[in-house]
Short mmCIF file of all heavy atoms in Angstrom, two decimals:
data_model
loop_
_atom_site.label_atom_id
_atom_site.label_comp_id
_atom_site.label_asym_id
_atom_site.label_seq_id
_atom_site.Cartn_x
_atom_site.Cartn_y
_atom_site.Cartn_z
N MET A 884 11.46 -7.49 8.08
CA MET A 884 11.28 -7.69 6.66
C MET A 884 9.97 -7.02 6.23
O MET A 884 8.94 -7.15 6.88
CB MET A 884 11.24 -9.20 6.37
CG MET A 884 11.02 -9.53 4.94
SD MET A 884 11.02 -11.32 4.76
CE MET A 884 11.77 -11.44 3.20
N TRP A 885 10.01 -6.32 5.12
CA TRP A 885 8.84 -5.65 4.58
C TRP A 885 8.03 -6.63 3.73
O TRP A 885 8.60 -7.37 2.93
CB TRP A 885 9.25 -4.45 3.75
CG TRP A 885 9.80 -3.34 4.59
CD1 TRP A 885 11.10 -3.20 5.00
CD2 TRP A 885 9.09 -2.24 5.14
NE1 TRP A 885 11.23 -2.08 5.78
CE2 TRP A 885 10.00 -1.46 5.88
CE3 TRP A 885 7.77 -1.83 5.08
CZ2 TRP A 885 9.63 -0.30 6.54
CZ3 TRP A 885 7.41 -0.67 5.75
CH2 TRP A 885 8.32 0.08 6.46
N MET A 886 6.72 -6.61 3.91
CA MET A 886 5.82 -7.52 3.20
C MET A 886 4.78 -6.70 2.43
O MET A 886 4.39 -5.61 2.85
CB MET A 886 5.08 -8.42 4.19
CG MET A 886 5.99 -9.22 5.09
SD MET A 886 6.93 -10.48 4.24
CE MET A 886 5.64 -11.59 3.76
N VAL A 887 4.31 -7.24 1.31
CA VAL A 887 3.28 -6.59 0.51
C VAL A 887 1.93 -6.80 1.19
O VAL A 887 1.49 -7.93 1.38
CB VAL A 887 3.25 -7.14 -0.92
CG1 VAL A 887 2.10 -6.50 -1.71
CG2 VAL A 887 4.58 -6.90 -1.62
N ALA A 888 1.28 -5.70 1.53
CA ALA A 888 -0.04 -5.76 2.16
C ALA A 888 -1.15 -5.58 1.13
O ALA A 888 -2.27 -6.06 1.32
CB ALA A 888 -0.17 -4.69 3.24
N TYR A 889 -0.85 -4.87 0.03
CA TYR A 889 -1.88 -4.57 -0.96
C TYR A 889 -1.20 -4.17 -2.26
O TYR A 889 -0.10 -3.61 -2.24
CB TYR A 889 -2.77 -3.43 -0.45
CG TYR A 889 -4.04 -3.24 -1.23
CD1 TYR A 889 -5.12 -4.09 -1.05
CD2 TYR A 889 -4.16 -2.22 -2.15
CE1 TYR A 889 -6.29 -3.91 -1.77
CE2 TYR A 889 -5.33 -2.03 -2.87
CZ TYR A 889 -6.39 -2.89 -2.67
OH TYR A 889 -7.55 -2.72 -3.38
N VAL A 890 -1.86 -4.42 -3.38
CA VAL A 890 -1.36 -4.01 -4.70
C VAL A 890 -2.49 -3.28 -5.41
O VAL A 890 -3.64 -3.73 -5.40
CB VAL A 890 -0.92 -5.23 -5.54
CG1 VAL A 890 -0.47 -4.80 -6.93
CG2 VAL A 890 0.18 -6.01 -4.84
N THR A 891 -2.16 -2.14 -6.01
CA THR A 891 -3.14 -1.35 -6.75
C THR A 891 -2.52 -0.84 -8.04
O THR A 891 -1.30 -0.76 -8.15
CB THR A 891 -3.67 -0.19 -5.89
OG1 THR A 891 -4.64 0.54 -6.62
CG2 THR A 891 -2.56 0.74 -5.46
N GLN A 892 -3.37 -0.48 -9.00
CA GLN A 892 -2.88 0.06 -10.27
C GLN A 892 -2.90 1.58 -10.29
O GLN A 892 -2.46 2.19 -11.25
CB GLN A 892 -3.71 -0.48 -11.43
CG GLN A 892 -3.51 -1.96 -11.65
CD GLN A 892 -4.31 -2.47 -12.83
OE1 GLN A 892 -5.35 -1.92 -13.17
NE2 GLN A 892 -3.84 -3.52 -13.45
N SER A 893 -3.39 2.19 -9.23
CA SER A 893 -3.54 3.63 -9.19
C SER A 893 -2.64 4.24 -8.12
O SER A 893 -2.65 3.82 -6.97
CB SER A 893 -5.01 3.96 -8.87
OG SER A 893 -5.15 5.25 -8.37
N LYS A 894 -1.87 5.24 -8.51
CA LYS A 894 -1.02 5.94 -7.55
C LYS A 894 -1.87 6.63 -6.48
O LYS A 894 -1.51 6.66 -5.31
CB LYS A 894 -0.12 6.95 -8.25
CG LYS A 894 0.88 7.59 -7.33
CD LYS A 894 1.87 8.44 -8.08
CE LYS A 894 2.92 8.97 -7.12
NZ LYS A 894 3.96 9.72 -7.81
N GLU A 895 -3.00 7.17 -6.90
CA GLU A 895 -3.90 7.84 -5.95
C GLU A 895 -4.42 6.86 -4.91
O GLU A 895 -4.47 7.18 -3.71
CB GLU A 895 -5.07 8.50 -6.68
CG GLU A 895 -4.68 9.65 -7.59
CD GLU A 895 -4.10 9.20 -8.93
OE1 GLU A 895 -4.31 8.03 -9.33
OE2 GLU A 895 -3.41 10.01 -9.57
N SER A 896 -4.79 5.68 -5.34
CA SER A 896 -5.26 4.65 -4.41
C SER A 896 -4.13 4.23 -3.46
O SER A 896 -4.36 4.04 -2.26
CB SER A 896 -5.77 3.44 -5.21
OG SER A 896 -6.16 2.41 -4.34
N ALA A 897 -2.94 4.07 -3.98
CA ALA A 897 -1.79 3.71 -3.15
C ALA A 897 -1.55 4.76 -2.08
O ALA A 897 -1.31 4.44 -0.91
CB ALA A 897 -0.55 3.52 -4.02
N GLU A 898 -1.62 6.03 -2.47
CA GLU A 898 -1.42 7.11 -1.50
C GLU A 898 -2.53 7.14 -0.45
O GLU A 898 -2.27 7.39 0.72
CB GLU A 898 -1.33 8.46 -2.22
CG GLU A 898 -0.06 8.64 -3.01
CD GLU A 898 1.19 8.71 -2.15
OE1 GLU A 898 1.10 9.09 -0.96
OE2 GLU A 898 2.26 8.37 -2.66
N ARG A 899 -3.76 6.89 -0.87
CA ARG A 899 -4.88 6.88 0.07
C ARG A 899 -4.70 5.76 1.11
O ARG A 899 -4.88 5.99 2.32
CB ARG A 899 -6.20 6.69 -0.68
CG ARG A 899 -7.42 6.87 0.21
CD ARG A 899 -8.72 6.67 -0.55
NE ARG A 899 -8.98 5.24 -0.60
CZ ARG A 899 -9.21 4.53 -1.69
NH1 ARG A 899 -9.24 5.11 -2.86
NH2 ARG A 899 -9.43 3.25 -1.66
N ILE A 900 -4.30 4.60 0.66
CA ILE A 900 -4.09 3.49 1.59
C ILE A 900 -2.89 3.76 2.49
O ILE A 900 -2.91 3.46 3.69
CB ILE A 900 -3.94 2.17 0.81
CG1 ILE A 900 -5.28 1.83 0.16
CG2 ILE A 900 -3.47 1.05 1.71
CD1 ILE A 900 -5.23 0.71 -0.85
N ARG A 901 -1.84 4.35 1.93
CA ARG A 901 -0.68 4.72 2.73
C ARG A 901 -1.08 5.64 3.87
O ARG A 901 -0.70 5.44 5.02
CB ARG A 901 0.41 5.38 1.88
CG ARG A 901 1.64 5.79 2.70
CD ARG A 901 2.65 6.55 1.85
NE ARG A 901 2.11 7.79 1.32
CZ ARG A 901 2.03 8.93 2.00
NH1 ARG A 901 2.42 8.99 3.24
NH2 ARG A 901 1.54 10.01 1.43
N LEU A 902 -1.90 6.64 3.56
CA LEU A 902 -2.35 7.57 4.60
C LEU A 902 -3.19 6.88 5.67
O LEU A 902 -3.03 7.15 6.86
CB LEU A 902 -3.14 8.72 3.97
CG LEU A 902 -2.33 9.73 3.19
CD1 LEU A 902 -3.25 10.74 2.49
CD2 LEU A 902 -1.35 10.45 4.09
N LEU A 903 -4.07 5.98 5.26
CA LEU A 903 -4.88 5.23 6.23
C LEU A 903 -4.00 4.45 7.20
O LEU A 903 -4.23 4.46 8.42
CB LEU A 903 -5.80 4.23 5.51
CG LEU A 903 -7.07 4.74 4.89
CD1 LEU A 903 -7.75 3.60 4.11
CD2 LEU A 903 -8.01 5.26 5.94
N LEU A 904 -3.01 3.78 6.66
CA LEU A 904 -2.13 2.96 7.50
C LEU A 904 -1.25 3.83 8.39
O LEU A 904 -1.03 3.51 9.56
CB LEU A 904 -1.30 2.03 6.63
CG LEU A 904 -2.09 0.98 5.85
CD1 LEU A 904 -1.18 0.20 4.92
CD2 LEU A 904 -2.86 0.05 6.77
N GLN A 905 -0.76 4.93 7.86
CA GLN A 905 0.06 5.84 8.66
C GLN A 905 -0.75 6.47 9.79
O GLN A 905 -0.24 6.63 10.90
CB GLN A 905 0.70 6.91 7.79
CG GLN A 905 1.84 6.39 6.97
CD GLN A 905 2.50 7.46 6.12
OE1 GLN A 905 1.86 8.41 5.69
NE2 GLN A 905 3.77 7.29 5.86
N GLU A 906 -1.99 6.81 9.51
CA GLU A 906 -2.85 7.38 10.56
C GLU A 906 -3.07 6.38 11.68
O GLU A 906 -3.30 6.77 12.83
CB GLU A 906 -4.18 7.83 9.97
CG GLU A 906 -4.08 9.08 9.12
CD GLU A 906 -5.36 9.41 8.38
OE1 GLU A 906 -6.34 8.64 8.48
OE2 GLU A 906 -5.37 10.44 7.70
N ALA A 907 -3.01 5.09 11.37
CA ALA A 907 -3.15 4.04 12.38
C ALA A 907 -1.82 3.75 13.08
O ALA A 907 -1.75 2.88 13.94
CB ALA A 907 -3.69 2.77 11.74
N GLY A 908 -0.77 4.46 12.69
CA GLY A 908 0.52 4.32 13.35
C GLY A 908 1.44 3.27 12.75
O GLY A 908 2.45 2.92 13.36
N LEU A 909 1.11 2.79 11.55
CA LEU A 909 1.94 1.76 10.93
C LEU A 909 2.98 2.40 10.00
O LEU A 909 2.66 3.34 9.27
CB LEU A 909 1.07 0.80 10.11
CG LEU A 909 0.00 0.04 10.86
CD1 LEU A 909 -0.79 -0.83 9.90
CD2 LEU A 909 0.59 -0.79 11.97
N PRO A 910 4.19 1.88 10.00
CA PRO A 910 5.17 2.33 9.00
C PRO A 910 4.79 1.75 7.64
O PRO A 910 4.39 0.58 7.55
CB PRO A 910 6.49 1.75 9.51
CG PRO A 910 6.13 0.67 10.46
CD PRO A 910 4.74 0.94 10.95
N VAL A 911 4.89 2.54 6.58
CA VAL A 911 4.44 2.13 5.26
C VAL A 911 5.42 2.61 4.20
O VAL A 911 5.96 3.70 4.28
CB VAL A 911 3.04 2.74 4.94
CG1 VAL A 911 2.54 2.27 3.59
CG2 VAL A 911 2.05 2.44 6.03
N LYS A 912 5.61 1.75 3.20
CA LYS A 912 6.37 2.12 2.00
C LYS A 912 5.49 1.83 0.79
O LYS A 912 4.66 0.93 0.81
CB LYS A 912 7.64 1.28 1.86
CG LYS A 912 8.69 1.53 2.90
CD LYS A 912 9.89 0.65 2.60
CE LYS A 912 10.98 0.80 3.63
NZ LYS A 912 12.15 -0.06 3.32
N ILE A 913 5.71 2.60 -0.28
CA ILE A 913 5.06 2.32 -1.56
C ILE A 913 6.18 2.03 -2.57
O ILE A 913 7.16 2.76 -2.64
CB ILE A 913 4.22 3.52 -2.06
CG1 ILE A 913 3.06 3.76 -1.11
CG2 ILE A 913 3.72 3.27 -3.47
CD1 ILE A 913 2.22 4.97 -1.48
N ARG A 914 5.99 0.95 -3.32
CA ARG A 914 6.98 0.58 -4.34
C ARG A 914 6.26 0.44 -5.68
O ARG A 914 5.25 -0.26 -5.79
CB ARG A 914 7.64 -0.74 -3.94
CG ARG A 914 8.62 -1.27 -4.96
CD ARG A 914 9.41 -2.46 -4.45
NE ARG A 914 8.54 -3.54 -4.04
CZ ARG A 914 8.94 -4.56 -3.28
NH1 ARG A 914 10.18 -4.62 -2.84
NH2 ARG A 914 8.10 -5.52 -2.96
N SER A 915 6.78 1.10 -6.69
CA SER A 915 6.19 0.96 -8.03
C SER A 915 6.77 -0.27 -8.71
O SER A 915 7.95 -0.59 -8.55
CB SER A 915 6.41 2.21 -8.87
OG SER A 915 7.78 2.42 -9.05
N VAL A 916 5.91 -0.97 -9.45
CA VAL A 916 6.29 -2.22 -10.10
C VAL A 916 5.84 -2.16 -11.56
O VAL A 916 4.73 -1.73 -11.86
CB VAL A 916 5.62 -3.43 -9.40
CG1 VAL A 916 6.03 -4.73 -10.05
CG2 VAL A 916 5.94 -3.43 -7.92
N ASN A 917 6.69 -2.62 -12.46
CA ASN A 917 6.34 -2.71 -13.88
C ASN A 917 5.92 -1.37 -14.48
O ASN A 917 5.00 -1.31 -15.28
CB ASN A 917 5.24 -3.75 -14.13
CG ASN A 917 5.68 -5.14 -13.75
OD1 ASN A 917 6.85 -5.46 -13.84
ND2 ASN A 917 4.74 -5.96 -13.33
N GLN A 918 6.58 -0.31 -14.11
CA GLN A 918 6.26 1.00 -14.67
C GLN A 918 6.79 1.11 -16.09
O GLN A 918 7.88 0.64 -16.40
CB GLN A 918 6.88 2.12 -13.83
CG GLN A 918 6.31 2.25 -12.45
CD GLN A 918 4.86 2.72 -12.46
OE1 GLN A 918 4.46 3.50 -13.29
NE2 GLN A 918 4.08 2.21 -11.53
N SER A 919 6.00 1.74 -16.95
CA SER A 919 6.48 2.01 -18.30
C SER A 919 7.42 3.20 -18.26
O SER A 919 7.58 3.84 -17.23
CB SER A 919 5.29 2.29 -19.22
OG SER A 919 4.66 3.49 -18.84
N GLY A 920 8.00 3.51 -19.38
CA GLY A 920 8.96 4.61 -19.44
C GLY A 920 8.40 5.95 -18.99
O GLY A 920 9.09 6.76 -18.41
N ASN A 921 7.11 6.18 -19.24
CA ASN A 921 6.52 7.46 -18.86
C ASN A 921 5.83 7.42 -17.49
O ASN A 921 5.23 8.39 -17.07
CB ASN A 921 5.53 7.94 -19.93
CG ASN A 921 4.38 6.96 -20.14
OD1 ASN A 921 4.21 6.02 -19.38
ND2 ASN A 921 3.61 7.20 -21.17
N GLY A 922 5.91 6.28 -16.79
CA GLY A 922 5.33 6.17 -15.46
C GLY A 922 3.82 6.06 -15.43
O GLY A 922 3.21 6.15 -14.38
N GLN A 923 3.18 5.88 -16.57
CA GLN A 923 1.72 5.87 -16.65
C GLN A 923 1.11 4.53 -16.26
O GLN A 923 0.04 4.48 -15.71
CB GLN A 923 1.27 6.23 -18.07
CG GLN A 923 1.59 7.64 -18.47
CD GLN A 923 0.66 8.65 -17.84
OE1 GLN A 923 0.39 8.63 -16.64
NE2 GLN A 923 0.14 9.53 -18.65
N PHE A 924 1.78 3.43 -16.58
CA PHE A 924 1.19 2.12 -16.39
C PHE A 924 2.04 1.30 -15.43
O PHE A 924 3.24 1.45 -15.37
CB PHE A 924 1.06 1.39 -17.73
CG PHE A 924 0.26 2.15 -18.72
CD1 PHE A 924 0.87 2.82 -19.76
CD2 PHE A 924 -1.12 2.23 -18.61
CE1 PHE A 924 0.14 3.54 -20.68
CE2 PHE A 924 -1.87 2.95 -19.52
CZ PHE A 924 -1.25 3.61 -20.56
N GLY A 925 1.39 0.43 -14.68
CA GLY A 925 2.09 -0.43 -13.75
C GLY A 925 1.27 -0.60 -12.48
O GLY A 925 0.09 -0.25 -12.44
N CYS A 926 1.90 -1.12 -11.48
CA CYS A 926 1.24 -1.36 -10.20
C CYS A 926 2.03 -0.70 -9.09
O CYS A 926 3.21 -0.38 -9.24
CB CYS A 926 1.15 -2.86 -9.93
SG CYS A 926 0.12 -3.77 -11.09
N TYR A 927 1.37 -0.55 -7.96
CA TYR A 927 1.99 -0.01 -6.77
C TYR A 927 1.76 -0.99 -5.63
O TYR A 927 0.64 -1.42 -5.39
CB TYR A 927 1.39 1.35 -6.40
CG TYR A 927 1.64 2.38 -7.46
CD1 TYR A 927 0.77 2.54 -8.53
CD2 TYR A 927 2.77 3.18 -7.41
CE1 TYR A 927 1.01 3.47 -9.52
CE2 TYR A 927 3.02 4.12 -8.40
CZ TYR A 927 2.13 4.26 -9.46
OH TYR A 927 2.37 5.18 -10.43
N GLU A 928 2.84 -1.38 -4.97
CA GLU A 928 2.75 -2.27 -3.82
C GLU A 928 2.81 -1.45 -2.55
O GLU A 928 3.65 -0.56 -2.42
CB GLU A 928 3.91 -3.27 -3.82
CG GLU A 928 3.89 -4.23 -4.98
CD GLU A 928 5.06 -5.18 -4.98
OE1 GLU A 928 6.11 -4.86 -4.38
OE2 GLU A 928 4.93 -6.25 -5.58
N ILE A 929 1.90 -1.74 -1.63
CA ILE A 929 1.90 -1.12 -0.31
C ILE A 929 2.61 -2.11 0.61
O ILE A 929 2.15 -3.25 0.76
CB ILE A 929 0.47 -0.88 0.20
CG1 ILE A 929 -0.43 -0.24 -0.85
CG2 ILE A 929 0.50 -0.11 1.50
CD1 ILE A 929 0.06 0.99 -1.50
N LEU A 930 3.72 -1.70 1.19
CA LEU A 930 4.51 -2.58 2.04
C LEU A 930 4.47 -2.14 3.50
O LEU A 930 4.50 -0.93 3.78
CB LEU A 930 5.96 -2.60 1.56
CG LEU A 930 6.15 -3.09 0.14
CD1 LEU A 930 6.62 -1.96 -0.74
CD2 LEU A 930 7.11 -4.24 0.10
N VAL A 931 4.41 -3.11 4.38
CA VAL A 931 4.46 -2.87 5.83
C VAL A 931 5.40 -3.91 6.43
O VAL A 931 5.64 -4.96 5.84
CB VAL A 931 3.07 -2.96 6.48
CG1 VAL A 931 2.14 -1.89 5.94
CG2 VAL A 931 2.45 -4.33 6.32
N PRO A 932 5.91 -3.65 7.64
CA PRO A 932 6.73 -4.68 8.30
C PRO A 932 5.92 -5.95 8.52
O PRO A 932 4.71 -5.89 8.75
CB PRO A 932 7.11 -4.03 9.63
CG PRO A 932 7.03 -2.56 9.36
CD PRO A 932 5.89 -2.41 8.40
N GLU A 933 6.58 -7.09 8.46
CA GLU A 933 5.91 -8.38 8.58
C GLU A 933 5.06 -8.46 9.85
O GLU A 933 3.95 -8.99 9.82
CB GLU A 933 6.95 -9.49 8.57
CG GLU A 933 6.37 -10.88 8.57
CD GLU A 933 7.44 -11.95 8.41
OE1 GLU A 933 8.65 -11.62 8.42
OE2 GLU A 933 7.06 -13.12 8.27
N ALA A 934 5.54 -7.91 10.94
CA ALA A 934 4.80 -7.97 12.21
C ALA A 934 3.50 -7.17 12.17
O ALA A 934 2.61 -7.39 12.98
CB ALA A 934 5.69 -7.46 13.35
N GLU A 935 3.38 -6.23 11.24
CA GLU A 935 2.21 -5.36 11.13
C GLU A 935 1.25 -5.80 10.02
O GLU A 935 0.23 -5.16 9.80
CB GLU A 935 2.65 -3.92 10.85
CG GLU A 935 3.74 -3.39 11.75
CD GLU A 935 3.27 -3.18 13.18
OE1 GLU A 935 2.06 -3.20 13.43
OE2 GLU A 935 4.15 -3.02 14.05
N LEU A 936 1.57 -6.87 9.32
CA LEU A 936 0.81 -7.26 8.13
C LEU A 936 -0.66 -7.56 8.42
O LEU A 936 -1.55 -7.07 7.73
CB LEU A 936 1.46 -8.47 7.46
CG LEU A 936 0.89 -8.91 6.12
CD1 LEU A 936 0.97 -7.78 5.09
CD2 LEU A 936 1.64 -10.13 5.61
N SER A 937 -0.93 -8.32 9.46
CA SER A 937 -2.31 -8.66 9.80
C SER A 937 -3.12 -7.41 10.15
O SER A 937 -4.26 -7.24 9.69
CB SER A 937 -2.34 -9.64 10.97
OG SER A 937 -3.66 -9.97 11.31
N GLU A 938 -2.54 -6.52 10.93
CA GLU A 938 -3.22 -5.27 11.28
C GLU A 938 -3.46 -4.41 10.05
O GLU A 938 -4.53 -3.81 9.90
CB GLU A 938 -2.41 -4.50 12.32
CG GLU A 938 -3.10 -3.24 12.79
CD GLU A 938 -2.31 -2.49 13.86
OE1 GLU A 938 -1.27 -2.97 14.31
OE2 GLU A 938 -2.77 -1.38 14.22
N ALA A 939 -2.48 -4.36 9.16
CA ALA A 939 -2.63 -3.59 7.93
C ALA A 939 -3.79 -4.13 7.09
O ALA A 939 -4.61 -3.36 6.58
CB ALA A 939 -1.34 -3.61 7.12
N HIS A 940 -3.88 -5.45 6.96
CA HIS A 940 -4.99 -6.06 6.22
C HIS A 940 -6.33 -5.68 6.84
O HIS A 940 -7.27 -5.35 6.12
CB HIS A 940 -4.85 -7.58 6.16
CG HIS A 940 -3.83 -8.05 5.19
ND1 HIS A 940 -3.21 -9.27 5.29
CD2 HIS A 940 -3.30 -7.48 4.08
CE1 HIS A 940 -2.37 -9.43 4.31
NE2 HIS A 940 -2.40 -8.35 3.55
N ASP A 941 -6.42 -5.75 8.17
CA ASP A 941 -7.67 -5.40 8.86
C ASP A 941 -8.06 -3.95 8.56
O ASP A 941 -9.23 -3.67 8.29
CB ASP A 941 -7.53 -5.61 10.37
CG ASP A 941 -7.44 -7.08 10.75
OD1 ASP A 941 -7.77 -7.95 9.93
OD2 ASP A 941 -7.01 -7.34 11.90
N ILE A 942 -7.10 -3.05 8.61
CA ILE A 942 -7.38 -1.63 8.36
C ILE A 942 -7.83 -1.41 6.92
O ILE A 942 -8.79 -0.69 6.65
CB ILE A 942 -6.14 -0.77 8.69
CG1 ILE A 942 -5.88 -0.81 10.20
CG2 ILE A 942 -6.30 0.65 8.18
CD1 ILE A 942 -4.51 -0.28 10.61
N ILE A 943 -7.14 -2.04 5.98
CA ILE A 943 -7.47 -1.89 4.57
C ILE A 943 -8.90 -2.39 4.32
O ILE A 943 -9.70 -1.73 3.65
CB ILE A 943 -6.44 -2.61 3.67
CG1 ILE A 943 -5.10 -1.89 3.75
CG2 ILE A 943 -6.95 -2.68 2.24
CD1 ILE A 943 -3.95 -2.66 3.15
N ILE A 944 -9.22 -3.56 4.84
CA ILE A 944 -10.55 -4.14 4.63
C ILE A 944 -11.63 -3.27 5.28
O ILE A 944 -12.68 -3.01 4.69
CB ILE A 944 -10.60 -5.57 5.19
CG1 ILE A 944 -9.77 -6.49 4.31
CG2 ILE A 944 -12.04 -6.07 5.27
CD1 ILE A 944 -9.51 -7.86 4.93
N GLU A 945 -11.35 -2.78 6.47
CA GLU A 945 -12.36 -2.01 7.21
C GLU A 945 -12.58 -0.61 6.66
O GLU A 945 -13.71 -0.14 6.56
CB GLU A 945 -11.92 -1.90 8.67
CG GLU A 945 -12.87 -1.12 9.55
CD GLU A 945 -12.36 -1.03 10.98
OE1 GLU A 945 -11.80 -2.00 11.48
OE2 GLU A 945 -12.52 0.05 11.57
N LYS A 946 -11.50 0.07 6.26
CA LYS A 946 -11.61 1.50 5.94
C LYS A 946 -11.46 1.87 4.48
O LYS A 946 -11.87 2.94 4.06
CB LYS A 946 -10.61 2.27 6.77
CG LYS A 946 -10.87 2.16 8.24
CD LYS A 946 -9.94 3.02 9.04
CE LYS A 946 -10.29 2.90 10.51
NZ LYS A 946 -9.46 3.76 11.34
N ALA A 947 -10.82 1.01 3.68
CA ALA A 947 -10.52 1.39 2.31
C ALA A 947 -11.67 1.07 1.35
O ALA A 947 -11.73 1.59 0.25
CB ALA A 947 -9.24 0.72 1.83
N PHE A 948 -12.59 0.20 1.76
CA PHE A 948 -13.63 -0.22 0.83
C PHE A 948 -15.01 0.01 1.40
O PHE A 948 -15.33 0.03 2.47
CB PHE A 948 -13.48 -1.70 0.46
CG PHE A 948 -12.15 -1.96 -0.19
CD1 PHE A 948 -11.14 -2.57 0.51
CD2 PHE A 948 -11.91 -1.57 -1.48
CE1 PHE A 948 -9.91 -2.82 -0.07
CE2 PHE A 948 -10.69 -1.80 -2.08
CZ PHE A 948 -9.68 -2.43 -1.36
#
């Protein structure tokens, strides 16, 4: 089951986090949420498998900020 590891309002931020997690060997999906018609506004969820959630959180905390 895929779980939300992080939520951001920026597509660029979502892509940066996706790359960090992929470089660590984790499978990652990005899902857009509440997008307006032109795709400008909304959120992006970073999803990882449930078994990888704790590791994903550790990576995000350590490297993304």
Side-chain angles (χ1 to χ4, degrees):
M884 178 179 215
W885 290 86
M886 304 292 292
V887 176
Y889 193 77
V890 178
T891 181
Q892 292 182 332
S893 160
K894 186 172 184 176
E895 294 79 19
S896 177
E898 289 294 335
R899 188 180 83 234
I900 292 169
R901 180 185 61 81
L902 288 174
L903 280 175
L904 296 175
Q905 285 181 329
E906 288 172 357
L909 300 178
V911 182
K912 292 182 182 180
I913 295 177
R914 177 171 57 196
S915 62
V916 181
N917 297 330
Q918 294 293 325
S919 66
N921 60 10
Q923 294 283 48
F924 303 104
C926 295
Y927 297 88
E928 295 178 336
I929 313 308
L930 299 112
V931 297
E933 185 174 6
E935 311 291 346
L936 187 59
S937 180
E938 183 178 355
H940 283 156
D941 291 344
I942 293 166
I943 291 168
I944 290 168
E945 180 181 322
K946 297 185 178 183
F948 300 104

